[in-house]
Amino acid sequence: KRKKELTADDLVAGIIKQDKVALSRAITIVESTNPRHTEKAAAIIKKCLPYANKSVRVGITGVPGVGKSTFIEALGKYLTSTGKKVAVLAVDPSSSVTRGSILGDKTRMEELVKDRNAFIRPSASGDSLGGVARKTRESIILCEAGGYDTIIIETVGVGQSETAVHSMVDFFLLLKLAGAGDELQGIKRGIMEMADAIIINKADGENTKAAKRAKTEFTRALQLYPPKENSWVPKVTVASAIENTGIRESWELVMTYMAQSKKSNYFEHHRIEQNKYWLLQTIDEQLRSGFYNHKAVKKQLQEQLEAVANNEITPFEAARYLLDLIKEQS
Amino acid sequence: KRKKELTADDLVAGIIKQDKVALSRAITIVESTNPRHTEKAAAIIKKCLPYANKSVRVGITGVPGVGKSTFIEALGKYLTSTGKKVAVLAVDPSSSVTRGSILGDKTRMEELVKDRNAFIRPSASGDSLGGVARKTRESIILCEAGGYDTIIIETVGVGQSETAVHSMVDFFLLLKLAGAGDELQGIKRGIMEMADAIIINKADGENTKAAKRAKTEFTRALQLYPPKENSWVPKVTVASAIENTGIRESWELVMTYMAQSKKSNYFEHHRIEQNKYWLLQTIDEQLRSGFYNHKAVKKQLQEQLEAVANNEITPFEAARYLLDLIKEQS
């Protein structure tokens, strides 16, 4: 017997009642690429919007091996122990290809998964960052409507996804290890400048000393950066997710930031700016995808790129030529 | 009697003969917004292309007050004294509004202006960065055809123009002062990560000690950054443009970089990537400008932005709504 399909209203009612199963199903519909779900997803989001926007949104990034999931589990447990409701989402456009390095293996956060005040959701699948980011951003709305007051967005610090995550959170946290060498190889330039705080993780045992030294070094380095728009000076601290030290201190940084940010009205201003960013970003993406999927462009783009590479034509001439193809045909 | 207008062929012949007047006039045509000049500009550029791509292109940035023009003049004089031919261009989209803070006042480089092996050109005017950057990039081609083997592109380190300049040069140089405090206020985040070298300028008199200390600090800080694609580690040095010290050393950094970059073939690869970047960038710009200048979009964009700001609609829904306006009408 086929299970009765829940309506948008049913699902939203469930979400508001803080029913995890309803939330899960609703997110599945939001994430669906099935056109049949588009309208239902839009209806769910619309009904959730009045309940949204009420959480603290924190992005956490760091290269593989830095101990992200252990840290997030420790942080999540700490937060629920103080009465918070925590949702953990992820943005990793590659996860559908690599079979989900990120949050895909739920056993990585075994304890947090069992916590009734935590909700963990692997990265949406999809091969375009734009698509995955959009789904995650809409899932945030649903989680907030479901009563989650703290949203953690995990991402791997090696690709384009950090900019996307940075643009959907209030606070951006970069995990690092002491002994910058190897660990730095994978991380993308520019991420350090996005960070509101750097946590030197695995500050335990033999690493303790090196971690403290790294803290001093990064603190000095961050002072050389230009100040942020909101005049927040990024902080550096040490933590050991395994020994459960520095977790509370890490969260206190977030709270200090939130207090300052709300007091100065930067918080609200920033969220509005983020919304505008996503509006303009989505338009850009759609315009580009329309252009590059145009038959004539598809056929001639490679040739133009080669002519440009061989200096037979300037990039501007090539662009004009390609843009004219679209005009002719429409 | 009206002066006979030179043809594209005349101008190109003049450029190749290293005639500064012909070069100047040709650049004026390239910079012109008069549609009558579009075809002529394209013809000039096309004919110059085979002679292009043969110079070292260096971007120089730094906030006002850091001593950019004095530094560029000292560097330019040094280069011409070693037999180089130096062209100095600028990217500053605001210069047409502010009446040209940058290179506009030619007296700022009095000596270099008189140097027969130097060619100095103020920033093209225009209120869009894309337009100004495009004109500068095409002027580079003309200068190279005119025998200039060293192109210096000046920009102010306070806006969006650094990314544009960074994408048209081989080496990006950031000028700074010792005593980071005030001077940093104006500089945009992200610029430090673009720099291939940082020069602590005004390292003279009472500043000498502080400049050396700054050198040590920045060297340490830069080591904490992720490595660059070409594995170049950004260098830091001190200079005094007024006392003419550290100028040769600054240039030697560029030469070391060039040798390494050519040996590894990164140089060629990077120039091709830059060309592709400008092709894609121009397409993006044109698509956006077509969209935002569309009548229906212009009429409704503000309303949608407000709805998004008030959380009445998600940014994605608003984007879809606006994109549909275009489809309906075409």
Side-chain angles (χ1 to χ4, degrees):
Chain A
K1 202 175 85 185
R2 199 163 156 274
K3 222 171 19 183
K4 189 185 148 257
E5 202 176 295
L6 294 170
T7 64
D9 280 327
D10 294 339
L11 287 168
V12 173
I15 291 173
I16 308 297
K17 275 193 310 195
Q18 313 207 343
D19 167 6
K20 277 192 200 181
V21 176
L23 177 58
S24 267
R25 286 198 189 160
I27 292 182
T28 302
I29 287 165
V30 165
E31 289 181 350
S32 167
T33 48
N34 187 333
R36 202 168 58 84
H37 290 145
T38 311
E39 233 174 282
K40 192 168 177 179
I44 293 171
I45 295 161
K46 201 175 164 60
K47 285 175 211 288
C48 284
L49 265 179
Y51 304 93
N53 232 3
K54 295 180 169 60
S55 74
V56 179
R57 303 169 184 166
V58 177
I60 298 188
T61 193
V63 294
V66 80
K68 271 196 306 298
S69 19
T70 324
F71 181 85
I72 292 174
E73 173 149 53
L75 179 61
K77 291 297 293 174
Y78 165 70
L79 289 168
T80 58
S81 82
T82 67
K84 297 281 177 200
K85 285 189 57 136
V86 181
V88 183
L89 309 172
V91 173
D92 178 12
S94 66
S95 69
S96 52
V97 183
T98 59
R99 308 250 101 243
S101 59
I102 218 178
L103 287 181
D105 182 6
K106 280 206 187 178
T107 56
R108 290 189 318 146
M109 296 191 192
E110 260 181 349
E111 283 200 54
L112 197 59
V113 167
K114 286 181 268 173
D115 193 321
R116 60 184 298 270
N117 287 317
F119 175 79
I120 301 185
R121 179 88 187 185
S123 178
S125 64
D127 43 17
S128 94
L129 171 60
V132 173
R134 175 194 172 139
K135 290 167 188 173
T136 306
R137 216 165 171 285
E138 294 179 333
S139 299
I140 294 176
I141 296 170
L142 271 49
C143 290
E144 290 177 340
Y148 293 92
D149 49 37
T150 312
I151 316 278
I152 294 174
I153 320 276
E154 179 183 2
T155 183
V156 277
V158 290
Q160 289 291 317
S161 33
E162 288 65 42
T163 312
V165 172
H166 183 250
S167 307
M168 59 175 85
V169 298
D170 306 311
F171 193 91
F172 196 63
L173 211 153
L174 172 60
L175 289 188
K176 283 189 153 295
L177 297 180
D182 291 350
E183 184 249 331
L184 278 174
Q185 298 299 328
I187 207 158
K188 230 194 110 211
R189 294 179 67 80
I191 291 184
M192 269 192 40
E193 298 219 7
M194 285 183 200
D196 295 304
I198 294 177
I199 315 277
I200 318 285
N201 196 22
K202 302 195 183 175
D204 41 46
E206 287 177 0
N207 271 328
T208 316
K209 252 179 127 172
K212 283 186 183 155
R213 211 161 41 231
K215 178 182 165 174
T216 311
E217 276 174 26
F218 279 111
T219 305
R220 288 171 64 108
L222 288 175
Q223 281 162 359
L224 297 173
Y225 283 93
K228 297 204 162 198
E229 197 195 334
N230 55 355
S231 75
W232 170 257
V233 181
K235 304 292 185 293
V236 187
T237 189
V238 296
S240 164
I242 283 175
E243 296 193 346
N244 212 6
T245 56
I247 304 300
R248 188 173 52 83
E249 290 76 7
S250 301
W251 190 251
E252 275 164 5
L253 292 181
V254 180
M255 287 298 97
T256 305
Y257 175 89
M258 289 298 288
Q260 180 181 319
S261 175
K262 287 199 166 166
K263 201 178 159 195
S264 68
N265 286 325
Y266 178 79
F267 178 78
E268 182 133 347
H269 163 76
H270 183 232
R271 285 230 172 151
I272 290 175
E273 287 306 307
Q274 286 185 328
N275 271 334
K276 285 189 190 165
Y277 167 85
W278 284 102
L279 168 58
L280 304 178
Q281 189 66 16
T282 307
I283 288 171
D284 274 11
E285 259 177 46
Q286 295 291 320
L287 292 174
R288 269 200 292 265
S289 119
F291 179 81
Y292 290 109
N293 286 315
H294 191 285
K295 230 173 70 185
V297 172
K298 266 185 161 170
K299 219 170 132 186
Q300 305 214 32
L301 178 63
Q302 203 47 44
E303 206 173 293
Q304 292 301 313
L305 279 170
E306 277 164 32
V308 162
N310 297 331
N311 289 304
E312 290 157 16
I313 182 172
T314 70
F316 306 105
E317 277 290 314
R320 190 163 69 178
Y321 175 82
L322 291 169
L323 286 159
D324 282 347
L325 292 177
I326 292 265
K327 277 182 210 148
E328 277 165 28
Q329 306 244 336
S330 68
Chain B
K1 200 173 85 184
R2 197 164 158 275
K3 216 166 31 175
K4 187 182 149 263
E5 200 175 296
L6 294 169
T7 65
D9 279 328
D10 295 337
L11 287 169
V12 173
I15 291 173
I16 307 296
K17 276 194 309 197
Q18 312 205 346
D19 168 6
K20 277 192 201 181
V21 176
L23 176 59
S24 266
R25 286 201 189 158
I27 292 181
T28 302
I29 287 165
V30 164
E31 288 180 350
S32 167
T33 48
N34 186 334
R36 203 168 58 84
H37 289 146
T38 311
E39 234 174 283
K40 191 168 180 180
I44 294 171
I45 294 161
K46 200 176 165 59
K47 284 175 211 290
C48 284
L49 264 181
Y51 304 93
N53 231 4
K54 294 181 170 56
S55 74
V56 179
R57 303 169 184 166
V58 177
I60 299 188
T61 193
V63 295
V66 80
K68 269 196 307 298
S69 21
T70 323
F71 181 85
I72 292 174
E73 173 149 55
L75 179 62
K77 292 296 293 175
Y78 165 71
L79 289 169
T80 58
S81 81
T82 67
K84 296 280 176 199
K85 285 190 56 137
V86 180
V88 183
L89 310 172
V91 173
D92 178 13
S94 66
S95 68
S96 54
V97 183
T98 61
R99 307 250 102 246
S101 58
I102 218 177
L103 286 180
D105 182 6
K106 280 207 187 181
T107 56
R108 290 188 318 144
M109 297 191 192
E110 261 181 348
E111 284 200 55
L112 197 58
V113 167
K114 286 181 267 174
D115 193 321
R116 61 185 296 271
N117 287 315
F119 176 79
I120 301 185
R121 179 90 187 183
S123 180
S125 64
D127 45 18
S128 95
L129 171 58
V132 174
R134 173 192 175 141
K135 291 167 188 172
T136 306
R137 216 165 171 284
E138 294 179 332
S139 299
I140 293 178
I141 295 170
L142 272 49
C143 290
E144 290 177 338
Y148 292 92
D149 49 35
T150 312
I151 316 279
I152 294 174
I153 321 277
E154 180 183 2
T155 184
V156 276
V158 289
Q160 288 292 317
S161 34
E162 289 65 42
T163 312
V165 172
H166 183 249
S167 306
M168 59 175 85
V169 298
D170 306 312
F171 194 90
F172 196 64
L173 212 154
L174 172 61
L175 290 187
K176 282 188 155 294
L177 298 179
D182 290 349
E183 183 248 328
L184 279 174
Q185 297 300 329
I187 208 157
K188 228 195 112 215
R189 294 180 66 81
I191 291 185
M192 267 191 43
E193 298 219 8
M194 284 184 200
D196 295 304
I198 294 178
I199 315 278
I200 318 285
N201 195 22
K202 301 194 181 173
D204 41 46
E206 287 177 2
N207 271 327
T208 317
K209 250 180 130 173
K212 282 186 184 156
R213 209 163 42 233
K215 178 183 166 175
T216 311
E217 274 173 27
F218 278 111
T219 306
R220 287 172 64 107
L222 288 175
Q223 281 162 0
L224 296 174
Y225 282 95
K228 297 204 160 198
E229 198 195 336
N230 55 354
S231 74
W232 170 258
V233 181
K235 304 290 185 291
V236 186
T237 190
V238 297
S240 164
I242 284 174
E243 297 192 344
N244 211 7
T245 55
I247 303 299
R248 187 172 53 81
E249 290 76 7
S250 301
W251 189 251
E252 275 164 5
L253 291 181
V254 180
M255 287 298 98
T256 305
Y257 175 88
M258 289 299 287
Q260 178 181 321
S261 174
K262 287 199 165 165
K263 201 177 159 198
S264 68
N265 287 324
Y266 179 80
F267 178 78
E268 182 135 345
H269 162 77
H270 183 232
R271 285 229 171 150
I272 291 175
E273 288 305 308
Q274 286 184 327
N275 271 334
K276 286 188 190 166
Y277 167 86
W278 284 101
L279 168 57
L280 305 178
Q281 188 66 17
T282 307
I283 288 172
D284 274 10
E285 259 177 46
Q286 294 292 321
L287 291 175
R288 269 200 291 266
S289 117
F291 180 81
Y292 290 108
N293 286 316
H294 191 285
K295 228 172 71 186
V297 172
K298 266 186 160 167
K299 217 170 134 188
Q300 305 215 31
L301 179 63
Q302 203 47 45
E303 206 174 295
Q304 291 301 313
L305 279 170
E306 277 165 31
V308 162
N310 297 330
N311 288 304
E312 290 157 17
I313 183 173
T314 70
F316 307 105
E317 276 291 314
R320 192 164 71 178
Y321 175 81
L322 290 169
L323 287 159
D324 282 347
L325 292 176
I326 293 264
K327 277 183 209 148
E328 277 165 31
Q329 307 244 335
S330 67

